[in-house]
Amino acid sequence: LMIAKTVTEKDMMGQAKYRLADGSEMVSQKFRIKSLQVGNRVLKNVEATAAPDKASILLGQSVLKMFKTVSMDNQRQMLVLK
């Protein structure tokens, strides 16, 4: 992200400790993404962290809390954000 200039030094927010779904903890670099498009919506100033190499990209609470409702449509296998 820094190479593409999506994130700059001014966006860096230090390190933070996170608890993962399996109960383990990890320390990761925290930074701000100025603009992130999710579907047809553009989110501003999203807090994000760097994941280990080859890790899946996840939408965390910093993104999900920006929506009024979050639900799972199991029939269509789709996350529905409104």
Side-chain angles (χ1 to χ4, degrees), residues 3 18 33 36 54 61 69 71 73 77:
I3 292 170
Y18 298 93
I33 298 174
L36 176 67
K54 299 183 183 180
Q61 287 300 317
T69 61
S71 62
D73 182 335
Q77 296 184 346

CSV table of all heavy atoms in Angstrom, one decimal, residues 3 18 33 36 54 61 69 71 73 77:
chain,number,residue,atom,x,y,z
A,3,ILE,N,3.9,1.5,-1.3
A,3,ILE,CA,4.5,1.6,-2.6
A,3,ILE,C,3.5,2.2,-3.6
A,3,ILE,O,3.9,3.0,-4.4
A,3,ILE,CB,5.0,0.2,-3.1
A,3,ILE,CG1,6.1,-0.3,-2.3
A,3,ILE,CG2,5.4,0.2,-4.6
A,3,ILE,CD1,6.5,-1.8,-2.5
A,18,TYR,N,-4.0,-7.7,18.7
A,18,TYR,CA,-5.3,-8.1,18.4
A,18,TYR,C,-5.5,-9.6,18.8
A,18,TYR,O,-4.5,-10.4,18.8
A,18,TYR,CB,-5.5,-8.0,16.9
A,18,TYR,CG,-5.4,-6.6,16.4
A,18,TYR,CD1,-4.2,-6.1,15.9
A,18,TYR,CD2,-6.5,-5.8,16.4
A,18,TYR,CE1,-4.1,-4.8,15.5
A,18,TYR,CE2,-6.5,-4.5,15.9
A,18,TYR,CZ,-5.3,-4.0,15.5
A,18,TYR,OH,-5.2,-2.7,15.1
A,33,ILE,N,-6.8,4.0,6.0
A,33,ILE,CA,-7.0,4.0,4.6
A,33,ILE,C,-8.0,5.2,4.4
A,33,ILE,O,-9.1,5.2,4.9
A,33,ILE,CB,-7.7,2.7,4.1
A,33,ILE,CG1,-6.7,1.5,4.4
A,33,ILE,CG2,-8.0,2.8,2.6
A,33,ILE,CD1,-7.3,0.1,4.1
A,36,LEU,N,-12.1,3.7,0.9
A,36,LEU,CA,-12.2,2.3,0.6
A,36,LEU,C,-13.6,2.0,0.1
A,36,LEU,O,-14.6,2.4,0.7
A,36,LEU,CB,-12.0,1.4,1.9
A,36,LEU,CG,-12.2,-0.1,1.8
A,36,LEU,CD1,-11.1,-0.7,0.9
A,36,LEU,CD2,-12.2,-0.7,3.2
A,54,LYS,N,0.2,-13.8,2.7
A,54,LYS,CA,-0.7,-14.8,2.2
A,54,LYS,C,-2.0,-15.0,3.1
A,54,LYS,O,-2.7,-15.9,2.9
A,54,LYS,CB,0.0,-16.1,1.9
A,54,LYS,CG,1.1,-16.0,0.9
A,54,LYS,CD,1.7,-17.3,0.6
A,54,LYS,CE,2.8,-17.2,-0.4
A,54,LYS,NZ,3.5,-18.4,-0.7
A,61,GLN,N,-14.4,-5.1,12.4
A,61,GLN,CA,-15.4,-4.2,13.0
A,61,GLN,C,-15.2,-2.8,12.6
A,61,GLN,O,-16.2,-2.0,12.6
A,61,GLN,CB,-15.3,-4.3,14.6
A,61,GLN,CG,-15.9,-5.6,15.1
A,61,GLN,CD,-17.3,-5.8,14.7
A,61,GLN,OE1,-18.1,-4.9,14.8
A,61,GLN,NE2,-17.7,-7.0,14.3
A,69,THR,N,-26.9,-2.2,9.1
A,69,THR,CA,-27.2,-3.6,9.4
A,69,THR,C,-26.1,-4.4,8.6
A,69,THR,O,-25.7,-4.1,7.5
A,69,THR,CB,-28.6,-4.0,8.9
A,69,THR,OG1,-28.7,-3.8,7.5
A,69,THR,CG2,-29.6,-3.3,9.7
A,71,SER,N,-25.8,-8.6,7.7
A,71,SER,CA,-26.4,-9.9,7.8
A,71,SER,C,-25.8,-10.8,6.8
A,71,SER,O,-25.1,-10.4,5.8
A,71,SER,CB,-27.9,-9.8,7.6
A,71,SER,OG,-28.2,-9.3,6.3
A,73,ASP,N,-26.8,-13.8,4.0
A,73,ASP,CA,-27.8,-14.5,3.2
A,73,ASP,C,-27.2,-15.8,2.8
A,73,ASP,O,-26.4,-15.9,1.9
A,73,ASP,CB,-28.1,-13.6,2.0
A,73,ASP,CG,-29.2,-14.3,1.1
A,73,ASP,OD1,-29.3,-15.5,1.2
A,73,ASP,OD2,-29.8,-13.5,0.4
A,77,GLN,N,-25.2,-17.2,-0.3
A,77,GLN,CA,-23.8,-17.2,0.2
A,77,GLN,C,-23.2,-15.8,0.0
A,77,GLN,O,-22.2,-15.6,-0.6
A,77,GLN,CB,-23.0,-18.2,-0.5
A,77,GLN,CG,-23.4,-19.6,-0.2
A,77,GLN,CD,-22.5,-20.6,-0.8
A,77,GLN,OE1,-21.7,-20.4,-1.7
A,77,GLN,NE2,-22.6,-21.9,-0.4
